[in-house]
């Protein structure tokens, strides 16, 4: 049984059990709840039925807001499946068990889910636009609810390292490449990444991939230029630490925004 099938089976059995006992027994199913909740399982199931995902493997990264899984489609291509988590904080985790299953709070659960779905669709859209503008990003494939499917960057289920772990062999050239990607995003896709740093750039055999586009904003966003300056500053600081000389943040920033029509 695949990872996914196992979980699905657990949830199915849980429902059966619930019907039989006609009462809730939360503790026994805590582990399944921890992994995927029902709407997430349903969304995964849809993605499988639609032929987008064939098999799910293990988790490759666990962050504050999302978990990333390695998966494959039926052609055997590697996929990255980013699942946005609903219970992102200990606090929410601790309160959720008091509102979960209480019909008076069903609405609140739906609202949280809806916000996460919007966030997920936003990352998908940003990835599409960046990709179309010629920025090297994992090609987005599909999204459903809180699940984003994209190309897997790495080999045999092992994600490529971040540049903070494996810095580019030619920092000078890599710096130019990242600046070019920032420029294409701003001038062609009209978006600012807004969370750009050495933590969101992967180094796959010296090809740099910009990931994690959930926070990106349109250049008309009131804080877009502030975010752009911060992105540039993060990149300049990182590459300077690698020993290269760069123009000042201010120079790069000004030169770029002069080009915005
Ligand atoms: N397309 C991908 N292919 C392979 N690994 C990925 C991919 N996207 C993300 N990852 C892995 O998951 C980690 C977290 O992804 P990211 O999009 O940065 O989410 P977060 O919001 O948790 O920072 C990355 O650092 C990387 O190791
Ligand atoms: Mg990240």
């Amino acid at each position: 049984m695949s990872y996914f099938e196992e979980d699905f089976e657990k949830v199915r059995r849980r429902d059966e059990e619930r019907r039989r006992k006609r009462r809730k027994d939360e503790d026994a199913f805590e582990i399944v709840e921890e992994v995927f909740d029902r709407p997430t399982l349903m969304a995964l199931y849809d993605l499988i039925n639609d032929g987008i995902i064939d098999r799910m493997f293990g988790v490759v990264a666990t962050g504050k807001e999302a978990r990333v899984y390695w998966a494959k489609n039926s052609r055997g291509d590697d996929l990255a499946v980013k699942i946005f988590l609903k219970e992102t904080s200990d606090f929410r985790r601790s309160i959720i068990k008091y509102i979960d299953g209480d019909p008076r709070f069903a609405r609140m659960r739906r609202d949280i889910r809806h916000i996460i779905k919007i966030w997920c669709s936003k990352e998908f859209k940003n990835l599409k636009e960046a990709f179309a503008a010629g920025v090297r990003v994992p090609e987005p494939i599909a999204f459903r609810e809180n699940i984003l499917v994209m190309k897997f960057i790495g080999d045999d289920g092992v994600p490529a390292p971040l540049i903070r772990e494996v810095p580019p062999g030619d920092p000078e050239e890599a710096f130019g490449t990242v600046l070019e990607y920032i420029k294409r995003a701003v001038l062609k896709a009209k978006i600012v990444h807004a969370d750009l740093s050495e933590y969101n750039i992967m180094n796959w055999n010296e090809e740099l991939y910009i990931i994690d586009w959930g926070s990106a904003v349109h250049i008309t966003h009131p804080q877009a230029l502030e975010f752009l300056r911060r992105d540039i500053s993060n990149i300049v600081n990182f590459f300077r630490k690698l020993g290269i000389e760069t123009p000042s943040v201010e120079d790069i920033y000004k030169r770029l925004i002069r080009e915005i029509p």
Side-chain angles (χ1 to χ4, degrees):
M1 244 192 245
S2 75
Y3 190 75
F4 166 75
E5 284 163 343
E6 237 169 74
D7 268 328
F8 196 77
E9 180 59 22
K10 276 185 207 157
V11 170
R12 199 190 56 72
R13 259 188 271 129
R14 177 187 68 177
D15 285 353
E16 231 171 55
E17 186 86 341
R18 273 191 178 167
R19 271 195 297 276
R20 199 171 56 77
K21 286 204 247 168
R22 291 222 175 267
R23 66 176 182 82
K24 270 191 290 172
D25 186 356
E26 270 153 8
D27 287 351
F29 305 108
E30 212 165 321
I31 291 168
V32 184
E33 213 80 279
E34 272 281 308
V35 183
F36 298 135
D37 62 6
R38 260 185 80 88
T40 305
L41 276 169
M42 292 307 151
L44 262 178
Y45 208 54
D46 283 346
L47 287 164
I48 290 176
N49 280 335
D50 291 350
I52 290 163
I53 298 174
D54 186 52
R55 301 185 61 192
M56 286 279 288
F57 302 104
V59 65
V60 296
T62 312
K64 273 203 308 281
E65 276 134 25
R67 290 208 187 107
V68 178
Y69 292 81
W70 172 41
K72 276 184 188 286
N73 65 16
S74 54
R75 287 195 305 271
D77 305 322
D78 289 323
L79 307 172
V81 179
K82 185 172 181 179
I83 302 187
F84 294 83
L85 305 171
K86 293 173 169 59
E87 284 76 49
T88 52
S89 67
D90 288 344
F91 170 67
R92 181 157 305 153
R93 222 191 300 277
S94 66
I95 62 165
I96 211 96
K97 60 171 167 257
Y98 298 103
I99 63 166
D100 203 12
D102 184 331
R104 295 169 302 165
F105 295 105
R107 171 76 186 279
M108 188 167 136
R109 282 222 77 144
R110 269 204 308 278
D111 291 347
I112 296 171
R113 203 183 309 144
H114 187 64
I115 290 165
I116 292 167
K117 179 180 179 172
I118 289 170
W119 185 259
C120 180
S121 71
K122 185 173 164 236
E123 174 153 12
F124 181 80
K125 193 163 180 277
N126 290 331
L127 275 169
K128 277 229 145 191
E129 282 162 8
F131 187 81
V135 182
R136 201 185 287 275
V137 302
E139 190 177 349
I141 296 167
F143 76 94
R144 176 79 63 124
E145 298 292 329
N146 57 327
I147 304 175
L148 169 63
V149 183
M150 58 191 146
K151 271 202 175 165
F152 190 89
I153 308 304
D155 301 293
D156 300 321
V158 180
L162 301 171
I163 57 168
R164 70 175 284 272
E165 298 154 345
V166 177
D170 184 341
E172 193 104 39
E173 191 195 324
F175 178 68
T177 302
V178 175
L179 285 191
E180 177 61 27
Y181 290 161
I182 294 175
K183 189 171 160 180
R184 288 179 189 170
V186 169
L187 299 180
K188 289 196 190 156
K190 309 223 176 312
I191 55 177
V192 173
H193 186 288
D195 192 21
L196 192 61
S197 74
E198 62 272 30
Y199 289 86
N200 282 326
I201 304 178
M202 298 177 91
N203 179 357
W204 194 17
N205 307 318
E206 296 300 323
E207 296 285 10
L208 304 188
Y209 284 77
I210 316 278
I211 61 166
D212 209 356
W213 288 80
S215 322
V217 296
H218 193 262
I219 52 167
T220 56
H221 184 283
Q223 282 166 290
L225 295 183
E226 185 189 315
F227 295 152
L228 175 61
R229 195 196 299 258
R230 192 180 60 197
D231 282 354
I232 293 170
S233 169
N234 290 342
I235 294 306
V236 163
N237 288 336
F238 174 75
F239 280 94
R240 279 186 181 164
K241 272 188 258 159
L242 296 183
I244 66 162
E245 279 178 25
T246 76
S248 72
V249 173
E250 218 38 47
D251 278 358
I252 297 169
Y253 171 76
K254 281 196 187 131
R255 220 180 310 145
L256 177 50
I257 60 168
R258 262 204 304 271
E259 287 187 57
I260 299 176

